[in-house]
Amino acid sequence: MAPITNYGFVIDNRRCIGCHACTVACKSEHDDPIGVNKTWVKYIEKGEFPNTNRNFSVMRCNHCDDSPCTDVCPVTALWEREDGIVDFDPERCIGCKACMQGCPYDALYIDPNTETAAKCNYCSHRVDTGREPACVTVCPEDAIVAGDLENPDSEIARTASREEVQARKPEKGTEPKLFYVDGDEGSTTPGTTAREEHYMWSDAPHQVETEGEAVPDFDLEKAAESLAASDVSLGDAGGSDDADARADGGRTDCGCDSCGCGKEDASASSTNTSDVQSDGGYGTEPARRSGSDDSKGRTERAYELLHEEATRVYDIGEDHYGSWGWEVYSYTWTKGISAGTLLLSALFMLFGVVEPDVTAFGASAFVSGLFLAATGVLLVLDLEQPTRFHWVLLRPNWNSWLVKGAYIISAAGAYLGLAVLGALLGIEAVVHPLSLGAAAVLGAATAVYTAFLFSQSKGRDLWQSPAMPLHMFAQSIVAGGATLIVLGVAGVPGFEAMVGPSALALGAGLVLHAVLVASEIFTPHQTEDAEEAAARITRGRFRTAFWIGGVVVGILLPLAALAVGWPVLAAVAGALALAGLFAFEYCWITAPQTISLA
């Protein structure tokens, strides 16, 4: 049996001097354009001048054992090699950007030259010829160690076994193979440090997080409580004993490697009580603490580490912001209308709520088909390589819900085409129970498959809600009911009989939608990123679209109009519900993408 090879990286932060040689070597080796990086160095500073220290962290692809990017990629442009390297083929990439949503580490970006995704591939072309990655070769301090983690005689295996190492976001279950010796919490956890407007050599790369007026509160106290509850060493609460190691690699509270100055903790003595941004959110300082330094607890110490000591002083632009833009939240909206219209029409006739009618069902199928066609157009528009869209069907990766969804949409589209043709020809089999049952199944599948695609996007914590399939189904009921009411009240032939049942369906869908919104937005979340994304929706830049559009226009006013019972107001309720649903889709899809991943 051949021995198992499993390549990985260890970054020794005790040796790294932040020279950026790895970044330059990587760009030169791969001829990467300006503005994007496969590997980069992030700078974190702690303490107050003159008692400060600077920590460097090399960021790149983690070559995960359970890589979410390879699962979500619909065309196998990303794959795990037998030696553990997660490689990439730009010739297969369609530019769907699903891998960017799936990666929790912001390791992927869109190459402006090729208009395909790109990332660190461990210099696989060099490894295949017996050489080390370019970054390893060029590092002047041997701070980057690459090799076979399964070989006990390799330097990387000895280092990983001898030293205490840290990995980024191990809770994601991706089993990353990029480890840090003396890893710093301020670097490995993005939300613990602010993205500043100005860095040490340049302005910060353009990101939504630098727009101060458009960002919401960030609960640093909650983050401190979470850190205090972990097993991370936070050092001496009083900061006086240099034998007590700190979480930043054994340095003492003043920031020195060997403290003897007796200086008070810089953060404790600071008189600056202004809000500090962390990943675009405002950190609100709690009431001034009482008591001596010696009485400070672990939570208080964690707060100091997160809030007052760490500052991000150099970084690069992150590549995930807005990678799924208006095309995606528009596509989920049009898909909901298509799925709901087909689903409700089929169910009404299947269960005898309305009399089965070939003309009416054909009209519903036609409307559903129009919105499904719009969905397909939006999906293609969102691709960076739109001419390759058919590869999703012809070169499928069956682990990806993009592929499964494409086949579901294709099946639904084929059915709708046959239903419309059958209705035009007056074929009664169109409303046969088997046909209506197939329509209901296709409508439901079209409605909910996107929830499973979002669940594969492990970089977006708010999208990991187990209620997402039910919520997508509820949204399709709202969209379908609203559409049928508007068309029926407008006098479009075939829809008049569906107004009453659709009004009941719309009301029930709105109530369920409201309950699920409350459960997904306002209940406690398992991670800080999910909590922050929810806060940005309810209190940040998305608050107007959410409260006015998603809640008032999309839920409260339609329910009030439906309660009156007038057909005209029912049509108004339908139109308002559709507008509010669009506003909610915008908030739900955009807000999590503003959370820093690196």
Side-chain angles (χ1 to χ4, degrees):
M1 181 177 178
I4 298 175
T5 302
N6 191 21
Y7 284 118
F9 284 112
V10 168
I11 313 293
D12 193 338
N13 285 354
R14 300 170 302 180
R15 295 182 176 184
C16 180
I17 59 175
C19 66
H20 299 281
C22 54
T23 303
V24 175
C26 179
K27 291 181 74 69
S28 177
E29 182 72 27
H30 298 278
D31 195 23
D32 292 332
I34 294 174
V36 293
N37 297 274
K38 289 182 172 69
T39 184
W40 71 97
V41 184
K42 179 179 176 181
Y43 288 12
I44 297 297
E45 284 187 355
K46 292 188 173 183
E48 282 190 355
F49 181 81
N51 301 299
T52 63
N53 61 59
R54 182 176 295 163
N55 301 277
F56 310 109
S57 294
V58 178
M59 300 290 183
R60 55 156 63 98
C61 173
N62 285 237
H63 294 278
C64 308
D65 266 338
D66 185 8
S67 51
C69 61
T70 61
D71 287 336
V72 77
C73 177
V75 292
T76 326
L78 287 151
W79 75 97
E80 295 179 22
R81 299 185 359 159
E82 291 184 356
D83 56 12
I85 295 173
V86 178
D87 212 340
F88 178 76
D89 182 3
E91 298 300 320
R92 293 185 69 96
C93 179
I94 63 174
C96 66
K97 295 160 286 193
C99 56
M100 298 171 65
Q101 306 292 357
C103 177
Y105 311 105
D106 197 38
L108 292 112
Y109 61 87
I110 295 297
D111 189 305
N113 291 343
T114 64
E115 295 185 324
T116 62
K119 71 171 195 69
C120 161
N121 70 340
Y122 207 91
C123 284
S124 56
H125 60 290
R126 293 173 62 94
V127 172
D128 290 342
T129 58
R131 296 178 293 168
E132 292 184 317
C135 59
V136 178
T137 302
V138 78
C139 181
E141 298 294 325
D142 292 328
I144 305 176
V145 183
D148 183 7
L149 290 162
E150 299 296 330
N151 181 0
D153 295 326
S154 66
E155 181 183 0
I156 188 172
R158 292 196 302 268
T159 302
S161 62
R162 182 178 64 247
E163 305 291 346
E164 181 179 353
V165 296
Q166 299 81 38
R168 295 168 58 201
K169 302 182 182 178
E171 70 278 1
K172 291 291 184 181
T174 60
E175 300 182 45
K177 292 180 296 183
L178 172 61
F179 302 100
Y180 296 93
V181 177
D182 199 15
D184 187 87
E185 180 75 14
S187 292
T188 57
T189 304
T192 60
T193 54
R195 289 191 63 84
E196 305 293 345
E197 185 174 355
H198 301 286
Y199 285 146
M200 56 197 313
W201 298 309
S202 64
D203 288 339
H206 59 88
Q207 305 297 350
V208 296
E209 291 173 324
T210 62
E211 302 171 9
E213 73 283 1
V215 289
D217 294 339
F218 175 72
D219 194 349
L220 280 177
E221 285 195 275
K222 185 176 179 65
E225 292 171 0
S226 176
L227 179 58
S230 71
D231 58 358
V232 175
S233 174
L234 303 181
D236 177 29
S240 60
D241 190 351
D242 65 356
D244 291 331
R246 274 185 45 178
D248 61 356
R251 295 179 175 88
T252 53
D253 287 342
C254 70
C256 304
D257 285 324
S258 56
C259 180
C261 63
K263 178 184 178 295
E264 286 185 353
D265 178 41
S267 60
S269 62
S270 173
T271 58
N272 180 13
T273 60
S274 62
D275 290 351
V276 176
Q277 291 188 23
S278 177
D279 184 32
Y282 295 117
T284 304
E285 185 170 356
R288 186 51 93 187
R289 304 172 182 84
S290 60
S292 66
D293 285 349
D294 292 335
S295 66
K296 291 179 180 177
R298 183 174 171 85
T299 301
E300 202 165 25
R301 177 64 176 154
Y303 184 91
E304 292 173 353
L305 287 172
L306 298 183
H307 178 61
E308 296 174 296
E309 292 192 25
T311 303
R312 192 183 315 198
V313 295
Y314 183 78
D315 204 354
I316 67 164
E318 298 180 66
D319 297 291
H320 62 273
Y321 292 99
S323 52
W324 280 354
W326 68 270
E327 298 94 341
V328 174
Y329 56 79
S330 298
Y331 124 72
T332 58
W333 184 72
T334 58
K335 183 176 67 69
I337 295 175
S338 174
T341 302
L342 177 62
L343 175 62
L344 289 179
S345 298
L347 291 178
F348 290 161
M349 295 185 186
L350 184 63
F351 291 101
V353 177
V354 299
E355 189 70 25
D357 181 82
V358 174
T359 301
F361 189 73
S364 296
F366 180 74
V367 172
S368 178
L370 285 180
F371 282 98
L372 192 65
T375 299
V377 170
L378 290 167
L379 283 171
V380 174
L381 284 176
D382 187 57
L383 302 180
E384 299 296 324
Q385 290 285 350
T387 58
R388 301 177 180 178
F389 76 93
H390 55 286
W391 290 2
V392 176
L393 300 174
L394 301 180
R395 301 180 177 183
N397 168 23
W398 287 105
N399 290 325
S400 172
W401 272 94
L402 264 174
V403 170
K404 297 171 185 176
Y407 272 92
I408 290 172
I409 286 179
S410 298
Y415 174 86
L416 290 169
L418 291 174
V420 171
L421 179 61
L424 291 174
L425 297 176
I427 300 174
E428 290 295 327
V430 170
V431 291
H432 188 277
L434 289 178
S435 174
L436 296 175
V441 170
L442 287 171
T446 301
V448 304
Y449 87 82
T450 314
F452 298 102
L453 171 60
F454 285 156
S455 71
Q456 286 188 310
S457 302
K458 291 189 176 181
R460 309 294 167 215
D461 289 3
L462 192 63
W463 294 348
Q464 305 307 306
S465 168
M468 277 281 279
L470 179 60
H471 201 171
M472 288 288 182
F473 183 82
Q475 290 176 40
S476 72
I477 296 298
V478 170
T483 302
L484 292 175
I485 292 173
V486 171
L487 293 175
V489 174
V492 178
F495 295 100
E496 296 92 336
M498 299 187 194
V499 173
S502 296
L504 293 176
L506 175 59
L510 286 171
V511 171
L512 181 57
H513 172 52
V515 170
L516 291 170
V517 167
S519 70
E520 292 176 334
I521 298 292
F522 297 104
T523 57
H525 297 86
Q526 293 184 346
T527 69
E528 295 296 334
D529 282 359
E531 194 76 33
E532 173 71 357
R536 294 186 183 194
I537 290 174
T538 58
R539 305 194 304 273
R541 66 177 270 202
F542 302 96
R543 63 185 180 275
T544 301
F546 174 74
W547 288 110
I548 302 300
V551 176
V552 176
V553 173
I555 297 176
L556 299 180
L557 291 180
L559 286 174
L562 288 172
V564 177
W566 297 349
V568 173
L569 286 182
V572 172
L576 291 174
L578 288 173
L581 192 59
F582 185 83
F584 176 77
E585 296 285 3
Y586 160 70
C587 298
W588 180 260
I589 290 173
T590 307
Q593 295 184 72
T594 66
I595 301 296
S596 178
L597 296 181

